[in-house]
């Protein structure tokens, strides 16, 4: 649960910020819609209704941003999984290459020993003649 909240922390902060700004605007910000003459109830009601529509639009936009962020997180997760798979394949190939190099080094050592034995046999053969 905490991980899900942590993953969406920027979206949550954005929604809280929108709500706070809307509340400030509704309840005494510099708009002057809900302050002033107490007899202007109808104007205040219309102002609040307009503010509510603006808040609804802002919340809809916030929901869209959250949906976009979730999609981006899913894509990033898929990319991380692909990268892990590629790294795993690369490690397997590197290990196979190391084994081949070790075998070639052993073969090279055997070949050098054979050459030394042949040279030694040639020297012995030349001394016997």
């Amino acid at each position: 649960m905490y991980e899900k909240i942590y993953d969406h922390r920027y979206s949550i902060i954005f929604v809280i910020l929108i709500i706070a700004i809307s509340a400030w605007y509704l309840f005494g910000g510099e708009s002057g819609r809900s302050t002033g003459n107490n007899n202007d109830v109808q104007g205040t009601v219309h102002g609040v209704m307009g503010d509510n529509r603006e808040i609804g639009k802002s919340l809809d936009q916030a929901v869209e941003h959250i949906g976009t962020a979730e999609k981006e997180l899913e894509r990033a997760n898929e990319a991380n999984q692909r990268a892990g798979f590629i790294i795993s394949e690369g490690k397997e190939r590197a290990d196979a290459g190391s084994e081949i190099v070790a075998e070639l080094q052993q073969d090279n050592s055997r070949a050098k020993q054979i050459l030394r034995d042949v040279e030694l046999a040639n020297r012995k053969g030349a001394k016997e003649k």
Side-chain angles (χ1 to χ4, degrees), residues 104-119:
L104 289 174
Q105 287 174 341
Q106 289 175 353
D107 291 345
N108 195 16
S109 295
R110 280 187 237 131
K112 286 179 182 179
Q113 183 61 44
I114 291 170
L115 283 174
R116 282 191 291 261
D117 292 344
V118 168
E119 287 177 1

Side-chain angles (χ1 to χ4, degrees), residues 16-122:
I16 291 171
L17 184 62
I18 292 295
I19 292 171
I21 290 171
S22 300
W24 176 76
Y25 186 75
L26 281 173
F27 300 112
E30 295 181 16
S31 68
R33 289 186 182 175
S34 59
T35 60
N37 188 356
N38 289 333
N39 295 329
D40 189 17
V41 174
Q42 187 176 7
T44 302
V45 168
H46 287 297
V48 169
M49 288 173 59
D51 292 342
N52 284 342
R53 280 191 292 275
E54 290 179 29
I55 290 171
K57 289 177 185 175
S58 297
L59 288 175
D60 288 343
Q61 288 176 346
V63 168
E64 287 178 24
H65 289 298
I66 290 171
T68 303
E70 287 176 345
K71 289 176 186 174
E72 289 296 323
L73 286 171
E74 288 174 13
R75 280 186 276 228
N77 188 31
E78 290 172 4
N80 284 339
Q81 289 176 352
R82 283 193 305 269
F85 179 72
I86 290 169
I87 289 171
S88 174
E89 280 185 341
K91 185 179 180 325
E92 289 174 10
R93 289 180 183 167
D95 291 343
S98 295
E99 290 175 13
I100 291 170
V101 168
E103 288 177 21
L104 289 174
Q105 287 174 341
Q106 289 175 353
D107 291 345
N108 195 16
S109 295
R110 280 187 237 131
K112 286 179 182 179
Q113 183 61 44
I114 291 170
L115 283 174
R116 282 191 291 261
D117 292 344
V118 168
E119 287 177 1
L120 185 60
N122 284 342

